Amino acid sequence: MKKTPIALLGVILAVSGCSTMTPARYSVSVDNNMALKSYQGSTMDIVSIGAPEKYDSSCRMMGPIQASDGQTIPQFVNKAFNDEFKFAGVYGDGGAKLTGRLDKIAFSSSAGLTNGWWDLALTLSSANGQSMSVENKYDFKSGFDAITACNQTAQALGPAVQDLIKKTVTDPRFKSLLR
């Protein structure tokens, strides 16, 4: 009889384990494409983006939020920038070499109970000595229960990165990185 409660406890623990929430792959933005068209004739490449000192990826005890394809969030952002550059025809090895650092990666899946946000801060530096920093907070509807809210939070990473890229490439300081 004593083995039954122990076995039942083991099954409950196995079933209630955490899940990893993963967003869809990044998709390029028409708005970002239009903004990047103004840089035609220039080429650019983000070589790498580093991680912040701290980032808590856990979501409501459901498990971590991770980027798609086994990437870290900085790698996801790096690839997203370069995908946008490629789509706009401004990506190239012979142009401006940019490096970056995500100064902040933060999210909430329970702001106002059923809303959420991503807060991403980025510093880009150019080989020409220029740098710039931007921060973007992206708000979205998450959900009440943990499963829905954490899945919605993971899916909101793509649009949050799209907005970060738009804020970056439409900032007048961005052009100084390309000289």
Side-chain angles (χ1 to χ4, degrees):
M1 286 300 237
K2 289 184 179 182
K3 289 184 180 181
T4 303
I6 292 172
L8 182 60
L9 180 61
V11 170
I12 290 170
L13 288 174
V15 172
S16 65
C18 63
S19 298
T20 300
M21 306 297 159
T22 306
R25 288 182 172 162
Y26 182 81
S27 59
V28 294
S29 159
V30 172
D31 291 337
N32 291 342
N33 186 5
M34 296 302 293
L36 284 164
K37 294 284 186 187
S38 68
Y39 298 107
Q40 289 294 326
S42 298
T43 57
M44 57 202 82
D45 173 21
I46 295 191
V47 179
S48 67
I49 293 181
E53 289 183 25
K54 64 179 188 169
Y55 163 60
D56 182 6
S57 65
S58 59
C59 182
R60 292 192 190 187
M61 297 177 56
M62 285 296 302
I65 292 186
Q66 297 177 340
S68 59
D69 298 327
Q71 299 173 319
T72 64
I73 290 180
Q75 290 169 333
F76 183 84
V77 173
N78 191 125
K79 184 177 181 323
F81 264 97
N82 285 331
D83 285 353
E84 293 284 3
F85 295 165
K86 289 171 187 174
F87 188 61
V90 296
Y91 177 83
D93 291 335
K97 299 285 185 206
L98 308 176
T99 57
R101 176 164 191 81
L102 280 169
D103 303 310
K104 183 194 303 185
I105 304 171
F107 66 85
S108 172
S109 65
S110 59
L113 197 57
T114 60
N115 295 311
W117 49 260
W118 276 95
D119 191 0
L120 302 170
L122 172 71
T123 298
L124 283 179
S125 301
S126 175
N128 69 12
Q130 299 293 313
S131 65
M132 68 175 284
S133 295
V134 294
E135 184 171 356
N136 190 68
K137 190 170 184 181
Y138 177 78
D139 296 308
F140 60 93
K141 290 280 188 199
S142 62
F144 182 74
D145 66 282
I147 293 172
T148 302
C150 292
N151 274 318
Q152 291 296 92
T153 302
Q155 295 310 315
L157 178 60
V161 172
Q162 286 178 336
D163 280 5
L164 178 69
I165 293 170
K166 183 177 181 181
K167 191 166 188 177
T168 303
V169 301
T170 59
D171 188 304
R173 299 174 294 165
F174 184 73
K175 191 170 196 167
S176 70
L177 301 176
L178 308 179
R179 296 182 189 149

